[in-house]
C-alpha cells in the first residue's frame, strides 16, 4: 500500500490499543496539529483509523477576573475596609467605607450587591455594618479565580462557576479533543508494509514544463480540517442596508437626490410651512452654525414662501400671521431632516425633472439635538422620498411602503394618523421588532399641503416621507439598541456576522 508521507507518519504514530490525541501525534511526528487532523480524517476515510471526538468545557479568566485576582474582589475589599473601620461593632457611613476600600465607578455597585449576596454584612439607611463572623478567605469565588490564575482547574461547585460567568469574570467555552486509534485494517496495512508517496500540494510551472506532473500524487483538499477563522474586510451593516435601500428604490423607479448637510433654515423649515416660532426651530433642537447666511436663494421663491407664512396660500388659505424674518430664513444649520433636499428638488433649482409623474429619493445623514438613548442618535440616516403625480391618496402612500418594506421581508407595517405642519393627511409608520415584539416607529409621511407645493410652483399632488434607516436595520438584523449598530458599544461579532436581507 502507498500513502502520502504525512498520512503514513500519522498511521505509524497511532496505536491500536491506546487512544492518541492529535497533540500527542503532532508532537511525535513534528507535524502541525491541523496537518495531523487532515491526515487523520483521510486515514479514517480509508478505513485505517478511528477518530474520536470529546468535547470539554474550557474556563478562562476575563480581564476583569484577572484584575480581581490581583486586587481582590470588590466585595471583599469592601468587607475588609469595613472591618478596618470597626463596622463589625457599629455601622459606619457607606461613603467612608467605600473611600477606605478605594472603590471607584462601577466597582461600587459590584461591591455592594455581592457584599449583600455573600452575607458579608448589611446596609441600612446609608450605613454599612459587617458581620465579624463572615470569612472572605473561604469564599469559593475567590478560590476559583485564584486556581484559574495559577493554571489549575478550580475545585468548586458548578454553581460558583455559573456565578462567575454571569459576573463576567470567567469565560466558559468549549474545546474539542480529537484522538485516534488504529482499526484492524490499519494494523494489517502497517504489518504488510506501507510506502510513502510524495504528494504535491500545488501544480507549479516547473511540474508542468517537465511533464513530471503526470507521475506525482496530488494531495486532496480536506474541507473538514480545522483552519483559523479569517475575518476579512467587510462593508458595515448600515452601509449595506443603505445600499440595499438604494437598489430597491431605484428598482421602484426613483432617482437619487443630493444636497448640502449644512443648509439654510429656508430649505430646512420655511419651505415646509414650519412657523418660525415652532419649538423644533429653537436653538435647543437644532445645530446652528456660526457661518455667514445663505445668499443664493431665488428672491421670487422667498417672497412666495413668506406670503404663504403670512397670509396663507390658495383661496381659503390662512397663514400664521406670525412674525417671519428673511434673516432667520437665511441662517445656516445642520439639516434635521432631508426634506430640505425634497424642497430643493421640487423648487426646480436642483435641475430635477418636474413633469409629473416623478419619483425621487435620498439615503442621507441628518442631525438632531436629541438625547442619546436606545432608539435615538444625534445623527442618523433618513430615507427620504417623494412621488409627484395627479390625484394621489393615502392609499398610494400605504401601497408604496408595503411594496418597499416587503423587499426586506417586513410585511406587518402599521400606520397611525399623525400631524406635520407640512403634510395633510399625515401618518407615522410602525414595525414590530423581531426580538422584543415592540412596535417601533420607523417613519413619518404624508401628502404635502398646498402651502408647501404652491410657493414651489408645483401644481399637482406630492406624497412624501422620511424613514429611519437605523430602525429598518434594527428590524432586519434584530439589533435591540441603535447603539449596537454603530459607536463604541457595537459588538464586533455582530458587525462581522449581521446579514442584510435580500
Ligand atoms: N421630515 C419628516 C421627519 O423628519 C419626514 C417627512 C418627510 C414627513 C416628508 C412627511 C413628508 O420626520
Amino acid at each position: 500500500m502507498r500513502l502520502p508521507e504525512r498520512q503514513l507518519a500519522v498511521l505509524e504514530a497511532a496505536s491500536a490499543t491506546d487512544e492518541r490525541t492529535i497533540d500527542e501525534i503532532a508532537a511525535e511526528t513534528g507535524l502541525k496539529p491541523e496537518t495531523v487532523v487532515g491526515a487523520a480524517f483521510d486515514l479514517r476515510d480509508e478505513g485505517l483509523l478511528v477518530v474520536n471526538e470529546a468535547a470539554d468545557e474550557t474556563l478562562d479568566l476575563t480581564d476583569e477576573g484577572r484584575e480581581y485576582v490581583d486586587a481582590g474582589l470588590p466585595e471583599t475589599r469592601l468587607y475588609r475596609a469595613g472591618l478596618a473601620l470597626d463596622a463589625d461593632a457599629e455601622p459606619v457611613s457607606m461613603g467612608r467605607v467605600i473611600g477606605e476600600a478605594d472603590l471607584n465607578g462601577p466597582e461600587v455597585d459590584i461591591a455592594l450587591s455581592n457584599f449583600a449576596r455573600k452575607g458579608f454584612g448589611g446596609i441600612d439607611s446609608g450605613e454599612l455594618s459587617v458581620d465579624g463572623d463572615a470569612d472572605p478567605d473561604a469564599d469559593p469565588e475567590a478560590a476559583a479565580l485564584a486556581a484559574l490564575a495559577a493554571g489549575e482547574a478550580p475545585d468548586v461547585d458548578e454553581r460558583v462557576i455559573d456565578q462567575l460567568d454571569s459576573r463576567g469574570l470567567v469565560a466558559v467555552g468549549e474545546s474539542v479533543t480529537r484522538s485516534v486509534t488504529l482499526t484492524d485494517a490499519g494494523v494489517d496495512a502497517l504489518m504488510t508494509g506501507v510506502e510513502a508517496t510524495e504528494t504535491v500540494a500545488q501544480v507549479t510551472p516547473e511540474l508542468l514544463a517537465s511533464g513530471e506532473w503526470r507521475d506525482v500524487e496530488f494531495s486532496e483538499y480536506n474541507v473538514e480540517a480545522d483552519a483559523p477563522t479569517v475575518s476579512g474586510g467587510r462593508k458595515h451593516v448600515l452601509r449595506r442596508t443603505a445600499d440595499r435601500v438604494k437598489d430597491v428604490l431605484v428598482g421602484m423607479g426613483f432617482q437619487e437626490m443630493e444636497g448640502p448637510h449644512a443648509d439654510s433654515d429656508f430649505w430646512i423649515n420655511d419651505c415646509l410651512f414650519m412657523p418660525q416660532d415652532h419649538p423644533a426651530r429653537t436653538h435647543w433642537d437644532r445645530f446652528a452654525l456660526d457661518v455667514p447666511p445663505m445668499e443664493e436663494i431665488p428672491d421670487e421663491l422667498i417672497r412666495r414662501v413668506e406670503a404663504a407664512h403670512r397670509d396663507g396660500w390658495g383661496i381659503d388659505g390662512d397663514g400664521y400671521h406670525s412674525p417671519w424674518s428673511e434673516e432667520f430664513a437665511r441662517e445656516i444649520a445642520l439639516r434635521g431632516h432631508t426634506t430640505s433636499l425634497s424642497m430643493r428638488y421640487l423648487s426646480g433649482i436642483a435641475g430635477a425633472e418636474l413633469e409629473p409623474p416623478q419619483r425621487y429619493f435620498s439615503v442621507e445623514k441628518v442631525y438632531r439635538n436629541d438625547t442619546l438613548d436606545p432608539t435615538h442618535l444625534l445623527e442618523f440616516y433618513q430615507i427620504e422620498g417623494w412621488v409627484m403625480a395627479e390625484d394621489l391618496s393615502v392609499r398610494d402612500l400605504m401601497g408604496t411602503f408595503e411594496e418597499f418594506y416587503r423587499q426586506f421581508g417586513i410585511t406587518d407595517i402599521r400606520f397611525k394618523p399623525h400631524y406635520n405642519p407640512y403634510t395633510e393627511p399625515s401618518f407615522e409608520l410602525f414595525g414590530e421588532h423581531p426580538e422584543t415584539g415592540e412596535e417601533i416607529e420607523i417613519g413619518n409621511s404624508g401628502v404635502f399641503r398646498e402651502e408647501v407645493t404652491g410657493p414651489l410652483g408645483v401644481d399637482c399632488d406630492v406624497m412624501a416621507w422620511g424613514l429611519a434607516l437605523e430602525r429598518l436595520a434594527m428590524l432586519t438584523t434584530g439589533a435591540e439598541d441603535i447603539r449596537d449598530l454603530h459607536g463604541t458599544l457595537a459588538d464586533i461579532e455582530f458587525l462581522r456576522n449581521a446579514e442584510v436581507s435580500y
Side-chain angles (χ1 to χ4, degrees):
M1 174 183 258
R2 286 162 70 87
L3 285 176
E5 223 166 340
R6 45 179 72 163
Q7 288 185 27
L8 178 57
V10 172
L11 193 70
E12 284 176 335
S15 144
T17 46
D18 295 333
E19 288 196 1
R20 297 265 157 85
T21 65
I22 297 295
D23 285 341
E24 285 164 358
I25 294 190
E28 193 175 321
T29 57
L31 296 170
K32 285 198 224 143
E34 54 269 30
T35 310
V36 175
V37 173
F41 279 122
D42 288 338
L43 290 165
R44 180 197 62 184
D45 295 344
E46 305 271 335
L48 303 175
L49 272 190
V50 178
V51 181
N52 303 305
E53 300 192 339
D56 283 316
E57 189 181 87
T58 61
L59 271 183
D60 289 299
L61 283 178
T62 62
D63 289 346
E64 189 183 348
R66 187 158 296 116
E67 237 167 71
Y68 297 158
V69 170
D70 299 332
L73 286 162
E75 62 272 23
T76 309
R77 285 159 56 197
L78 188 69
Y79 178 83
R80 296 204 200 287
L83 268 192
L85 295 172
D86 298 326
D88 53 340
E90 201 146 318
V92 180
S93 103
M94 269 197 349
R96 273 188 67 207
V97 192
I98 289 168
E100 170 77 19
D102 194 22
L103 293 166
N104 296 302
E107 284 182 342
V108 175
D109 281 340
I110 298 174
L112 292 175
S113 60
N114 290 292
F115 177 85
R117 175 175 63 85
K118 291 187 177 171
F120 285 177
I123 295 154
D124 192 19
S125 342
E127 296 196 316
L128 182 136
S129 51
V130 303
D131 177 351
D133 296 333
D135 182 8
D137 288 331
D139 179 11
E141 290 176 28
L145 293 180
L148 284 171
E152 290 157 17
D155 177 23
V156 293
D157 207 87
E158 198 52 36
R159 281 201 306 270
V160 174
I161 301 297
D162 289 346
Q163 184 68 41
L164 290 173
D165 185 22
S166 75
R167 288 183 72 173
L169 305 185
V170 300
V172 183
E174 201 191 67
S175 78
V176 176
T177 310
R178 295 199 176 91
S179 53
V180 300
T181 41
L182 287 174
T183 61
D184 290 346
V187 175
D188 285 350
L190 283 174
M191 305 245 280
T192 38
V194 186
E195 264 176 70
T197 52
E198 208 190 314
T199 59
V200 171
Q202 236 172 355
V203 212
T204 59
E206 291 75 28
L207 283 175
L208 290 175
S210 65
E212 234 184 297
W213 64 271
R214 284 178 223 278
D215 305 318
V216 298
E217 183 162 337
F218 288 98
S219 51
E220 284 174 18
Y221 283 114
N222 176 5
V223 292
E224 285 179 86
D226 286 334
T229 310
V230 180
S231 303
R234 185 161 211 229
K235 258 195 200 173
H236 191 275
V237 55
L238 206 56
R239 177 48 59 202
R240 281 186 290 136
T241 308
D243 289 348
R244 172 73 182 133
V245 166
K246 291 186 190 188
D247 283 352
V248 166
L249 288 170
V250 168
M252 287 169 72
F254 284 76
Q255 302 189 61
E256 188 164 6
M257 305 185 282
E258 53 181 25
H261 292 236
D263 208 348
S264 64
D265 252 73
F266 181 76
W267 294 114
I268 306 174
N269 288 307
D270 291 290
C271 284
L272 284 159
F273 199 51
M274 290 276 284
Q276 289 197 339
D277 56 2
H278 190 280
R281 301 189 66 173
T282 64
H283 62 279
W284 299 112
D285 269 343
R286 69 199 251 281
F287 290 114
L289 299 186
D290 188 10
V291 296
M294 184 169 285
E295 306 273 351
E296 65 284 7
I297 304 173
D299 259 333
E300 162 75 13
L301 184 57
I302 296 197
R303 298 284 80 81
R304 288 154 70 101
V305 167
E306 176 177 5
H309 279 250
R310 288 194 190 279
D311 309 314
W313 197 266
I315 18 168
D316 52 359
D318 195 10
Y320 292 119
H321 302 289
S322 61
W324 192 87
S325 138
E326 183 175 327
E327 213 178 307
F328 183 26
R330 290 184 186 274
E331 278 175 20
I332 312 287
L334 292 179
R335 64 188 178 205
H337 54 198
T338 36
T339 320
S340 53
L341 297 183
S342 300
M343 294 302 101
R344 285 171 164 270
Y345 274 65
L346 282 166
S347 77
I349 68 150
E353 295 163 49
L354 291 171
E355 195 53 47
Q358 293 297 338
R359 302 178 181 86
Y360 276 86
F361 82 98
S362 65
V363 184
E364 277 295 348
K365 208 177 240 189
V366 301
Y367 309 84
R368 287 192 196 168
N369 202 357
D370 269 331
T371 307
L372 200 61
D373 71 19
T375 48
H376 292 91
L377 293 172
L378 301 198
E379 39 175 275
F380 56 95
Y381 285 88
Q382 247 181 357
I383 307 167
E384 188 80 24
W386 54 264
V387 174
M388 169 201 268
E390 307 291 345
D391 295 326
L392 289 170
S393 75
V394 158
R395 273 279 147 215
D396 297 296
L397 258 179
M398 292 168 110
T400 305
F401 293 138
E402 275 170 3
E403 182 178 345
F404 173 74
Y405 281 106
R406 195 171 49 231
Q407 315 271 344
F408 295 89
I410 300 168
T411 52
D412 52 1
I413 296 299
R414 308 236 276 164
F415 303 97
K416 184 165 134 189
H418 184 57
Y419 170 78
N420 292 313
Y422 38 97
T423 50
E424 180 61 36
S426 316
F427 58 78
E428 286 181 317
L429 280 70
F430 291 81
E432 190 182 311
H433 192 279
E435 304 290 332
T436 65
E438 222 177 310
E439 293 275 331
I440 61 173
E441 191 203 322
I442 54 175
N444 174 15
S445 65
V447 179
F448 280 133
R449 298 173 69 101
E450 218 187 339
E451 286 88 342
V452 174
T453 51
L456 293 171
V458 171
D459 59 6
C460 62
D461 289 342
V462 180
M463 63 185 201
W465 56 85
L467 315 175
L469 180 71
E470 283 82 353
R471 304 281 176 90
L472 170 62
M474 285 167 79
L475 296 187
T476 54
T477 62
E480 283 171 34
D481 189 309
I482 207 159
R483 293 165 295 187
D484 290 341
L485 290 171
H486 43 164
T488 49
L489 295 180
D491 175 26
I492 188 88
E493 283 308 311
F494 169 76
L495 295 180
R496 277 186 183 138
N497 300 321
E499 289 302 334
V500 174
S501 31
Y502 270 82

